[in-house]
Amino acid sequence: MTTTEFGIVYAVHIITSHFGSVASKVCECLLRRGPLSSREISRLAESDINHSKVKDILYLLIQHNCVQAFSIEPPDGSESKATVQYIALFSNILHRARYNKFSKVVNEELGSQCSGVLDGLLSNGRLTLEQLIDRDRDSKKQMGSEAIRDSLQKLVAARFVERVPSPEPVLGNKDEGPAQKKRGAKPSKIFKEPESLDERILEAATPVDAIRFPFIFEQGSSSTVADDDSNISEGKRKQPEVDYTSGPSNEVIWRPNFEELIRRLRHKACVEIVKERRDEGCANVMKAMLEVGRSQEKKAKTDKSVPMSMGSIYEELIKTDAGREMTQERVEACLEQLSATSSYLPAFVIESDGSYIVDFKSIISVAQKDEMESVVMRRYGKEAFRMFRYLSQEDRFVETDKIADAALTEKKDTPQILLKMWKDGYLHMQKLAVTGVYIPFLLWKVNKLIVSRQMLDEMYHASLNLSLRLTHETDSEKELLLLPMEKLEGALKERRNKYRAKSVLLTSARFKLDDAIMLFHDF
């Protein structure tokens, strides 16, 4: 989904609050204008920033995984050199507001020590093992070098942490197209939807998994990771001769793997949706299916899982206490329930030749539909909600009178309600001229892609407002917050408590709103 206007404003606000106004100008220039060279940025940025300062800011944003450098191969026969360009990573910028969620995911799965190591990477962007150990020495609660090393190994094995990508991948000539990038591609893969420039850049920068997740540590070394390149075929090798993922002391540089962290949050959301719409037994079965298929998912935002057998699902299920309480007969009944369709609920699982496939798209679409209908209900009332739900289910143009009959609303009020939703971009309207009739028929339809984009933009706007309000509250009580809590009495203590209550309320609201943003943008 493309970036919206308030999405850009919100991303710029995040960069401003984390890195200052000068860095935000550089980031906004990239978000609005697309890929640019450093000299183009210094010329086009709204404020007067010299070229040297622009380069420093770009290096800072790259360190924190908000910008990616790349270059495009010059045309054949051209003597010109490839110019280094930079692109803003919009999703990664939004992830900066989700660090608490990422930390919680790791804490639940791997424990507090792994969560602490991830926190260091989240706050610093990219670090070597030695830098993580140095950071631990400076902290009040030290973990020790062995615990840091073990935690990092667990994080890499679970794919929560990855080796940094290529600092400057070179893209092939645009005329070649993405289909010709890989030799021996299957015919069905050649005619896939063309990749966007962002996707091409990220794919070119990402090394193969054997290099991206090297989790076998060298024996007798406290600071390096084994990387046996002899096990990687030449056809799959993406690395240049110089190891771009290592620091000056030949240490591997690590960063958080946002793709895997988002995948875990997506899976968690799918289980919650199934639990809400079906029951806890179905949710346990879905959780087991997601565990079985996770390693085979190529992208976080995939539509369907790989096929899996009943045996593999049950084998995974009985690893948990809740799963051991379920018989195989009960699991089969849950799978049958998940595969069933109805007028109001699609199938969450597809059964095919004795195998089962998780339909992520159907599960997420149910939650998106609920969110859309909830917004329509709050904004326009019950009658509009019934009309919107009916049109969503029909998924075609319907005339006004039929909508009134289906939604059980007064025919004289129906056009006004539909017009309100149309003006706000929630409906499509089509006029149908009929011979001999003066007033044309009005037909209405819900365009889910347009509504999703409209709602996403509104959610970015709301999240921006909550962030600005929280910043305002903090700034207005800046002097009070510097005073020790134990020394506050009377009116000052009451003011501090009021600030804390406001801060918790605003943070909680933004946290929940971000869940909805992820539903439409990341899931």
Side-chain angles (χ1 to χ4, degrees):
M1 191 174 284
T2 53
T3 311
T4 67
E5 174 58 29
F6 276 111
I8 292 173
V9 177
Y10 180 46
V12 170
H13 167 74
I14 291 172
I15 295 295
T16 304
S17 59
H18 291 191
F19 305 112
S21 58
V22 180
S24 72
K25 293 293 181 186
V26 172
C27 189
E28 184 172 13
C29 193
L30 289 171
L31 285 169
R32 293 195 180 279
R33 296 176 182 271
L36 295 170
S37 68
S38 56
R39 292 201 176 276
E40 287 172 330
I41 295 169
S42 60
R43 180 170 55 85
L44 294 170
E46 290 182 14
S47 56
D48 187 21
I49 314 172
N50 62 47
H51 183 237
S52 176
K53 183 72 173 174
V54 166
K55 290 185 81 172
D56 289 342
I57 290 168
L58 287 169
Y59 294 149
L60 171 70
L61 294 175
I62 289 170
Q63 167 70 23
H64 287 273
N65 309 303
C66 297
V67 165
Q68 173 68 50
F70 73 100
S71 56
I72 297 177
E73 253 179 17
D76 295 338
S78 173
E79 295 181 2
S80 60
K81 292 183 179 179
T83 305
V84 179
Q85 297 183 66
Y86 301 86
I87 188 166
L89 304 177
F90 177 73
S91 293
N92 283 13
I93 295 170
L94 295 191
H95 292 335
R96 298 191 65 81
R98 298 171 182 148
Y99 285 178
N100 287 340
K101 293 179 181 179
F102 296 155
S103 185
K104 186 180 177 183
V105 166
V106 171
N107 188 41
E108 288 174 355
E109 184 166 330
L110 300 178
S112 59
Q113 288 191 332
C114 289
S115 176
V117 172
L118 180 73
D119 288 344
L121 289 168
L122 289 170
S123 57
N124 291 277
R126 304 173 177 202
L127 293 173
T128 62
L129 174 57
E130 195 62 45
Q131 287 171 329
L132 283 166
I133 293 170
D134 289 343
R135 179 179 173 274
D136 179 62
R137 289 195 192 106
D138 297 335
S139 66
K140 291 180 181 178
K141 294 182 180 179
Q142 293 186 11
M143 289 170 56
S145 59
E146 281 301 319
I148 295 285
R149 190 177 297 107
D150 291 343
S151 297
L152 181 60
Q153 185 171 2
K154 289 177 184 177
L155 287 165
V156 176
R159 302 199 171 196
F160 288 130
V161 167
E162 64 180 353
R163 204 172 189 166
V164 295
S166 167
E168 190 189 309
V170 179
L171 297 189
N173 207 313
K174 214 172 184 180
D175 296 335
E176 293 175 9
Q180 295 182 23
K181 275 172 82 175
K182 295 180 181 179
R183 294 179 194 172
K186 294 179 182 178
S188 59
K189 299 285 183 183
I190 292 175
F191 299 103
K192 66 182 180 180
E193 187 179 341
E195 295 173 312
S196 66
L197 180 60
D198 296 32
E199 289 170 333
R200 290 179 67 207
I201 293 165
L202 292 176
E203 185 180 346
T206 305
V208 292
D209 283 356
I211 296 173
R212 189 181 176 191
F213 305 107
F215 47 80
I216 301 172
F217 283 65
E218 286 182 352
Q219 296 298 320
S221 171
S222 63
S223 61
T224 58
V225 177
D227 180 15
D228 187 2
D229 278 5
S230 63
N231 294 329
I232 306 163
S233 65
E234 280 300 320
K236 292 178 77 176
R237 189 188 305 275
K238 283 188 178 182
Q239 303 299 88
E241 290 181 12
V242 178
D243 187 359
Y244 60 74
T245 61
S246 299
S249 59
N250 203 32
E251 279 193 271
V252 174
I253 305 171
W254 304 100
R255 74 169 189 176
N257 179 14
F258 293 128
E259 183 182 29
E260 185 63 30
L261 291 162
I262 286 292
R263 179 182 287 114
R264 299 302 173 98
L265 289 174
R266 189 186 196 223
H267 286 185
K268 193 175 179 181
C270 286
V271 172
E272 287 301 316
I273 293 164
V274 170
K275 186 177 180 180
E276 184 181 329
R277 289 307 188 121
R278 294 299 187 185
D279 57 40
E280 194 162 347
C282 289
N284 291 333
V285 172
M286 176 59 64
K287 190 174 182 180
M289 293 180 76
L290 297 176
E291 288 289 337
V292 172
R294 178 180 294 138
S295 62
Q296 300 298 318
E297 289 182 34
K298 301 301 180 187
K299 293 181 180 179
K301 205 173 180 179
T302 187
D303 287 346
K304 290 180 176 65
S305 73
V306 294
M308 54 196 86
S309 66
M310 172 67 194
S312 62
I313 296 167
Y314 192 65
E315 187 180 335
E316 182 63 39
L317 186 66
I318 59 176
K319 291 178 182 178
T320 62
D321 292 337
R324 281 189 284 272
E325 295 174 3
M326 299 178 69
T327 63
Q328 188 162 331
E329 187 180 354
R330 171 74 176 118
V331 175
E332 287 173 354
C334 286
L335 286 169
E336 189 176 337
Q337 197 176 349
L338 289 168
S339 305
T341 59
S342 66
S343 58
Y344 63 93
L345 206 60
F348 292 157
V349 169
I350 301 166
E351 186 179 359
S352 175
D353 299 326
S355 296
Y356 299 91
I357 299 166
V358 177
D359 192 339
F360 289 108
K361 193 172 183 179
S362 290
I363 298 171
I364 297 299
S365 69
V366 167
Q368 289 175 338
K369 181 171 166 286
D370 287 348
E371 191 67 34
M372 290 177 192
E373 290 176 357
S374 174
V375 170
V376 170
M377 169 76 92
R378 290 196 304 268
R379 186 169 295 182
Y380 305 105
K382 288 183 179 179
E383 291 182 334
F385 159 74
R386 291 198 298 268
M387 294 178 197
F388 186 86
R389 170 174 277 189
Y390 170 70
L391 287 170
S392 294
Q393 290 172 346
E394 290 296 307
D395 197 24
R396 61 184 177 85
F397 280 103
V398 182
E399 64 185 80
T400 310
D401 286 349
K402 282 188 179 178
I403 296 169
D405 293 337
L408 303 175
T409 56
E410 292 289 337
K411 290 190 177 181
K412 62 179 182 179
D413 298 329
T414 302
Q416 284 79 9
I417 297 170
L418 291 167
L419 278 168
K420 279 183 187 176
M421 290 193 282
W422 170 71
K423 285 178 182 176
D424 290 341
Y426 283 82
L427 294 179
H428 256 345
M429 181 179 68
Q430 192 177 79
K431 293 182 180 180
L432 184 64
V434 180
T435 308
V437 178
Y438 179 71
I439 302 173
F441 280 107
L442 295 180
L443 303 175
W444 310 87
K445 180 186 175 182
V446 172
N447 187 318
K448 291 174 185 175
L449 283 176
I450 293 175
V451 174
S452 296
R453 182 180 169 83
Q454 168 83 6
M455 285 189 61
L456 193 55
D457 197 47
E458 291 173 0
M459 286 189 278
Y460 288 140
H461 192 184
S463 196
L464 172 66
N465 287 339
L466 287 170
S467 297
L468 290 171
R469 180 60 188 268
L470 183 58
T471 302
H472 169 74
E473 293 292 340
T474 304
D475 289 345
S476 62
E477 299 290 2
K478 192 177 288 184
E479 293 179 0
L480 179 66
L481 294 173
L482 293 173
L483 299 174
M485 189 65 184
E486 59 272 11
K487 293 185 178 180
L488 297 178
E489 294 180 357
L492 286 177
K493 190 173 184 178
E494 190 178 343
R495 266 177 62 194
R496 180 69 177 262
N497 289 335
K498 280 184 179 178
Y499 164 78
R500 185 188 295 167
K502 287 179 184 177
S503 177
V504 168
L505 183 65
L506 290 168
T507 304
S508 176
R510 193 175 65 169
F511 196 83
K512 288 178 181 177
L513 187 57
D514 186 64
D515 287 342
I517 289 173
M518 285 195 293
L519 191 63
F520 286 91
H521 181 263
D522 299 283
F523 295 170

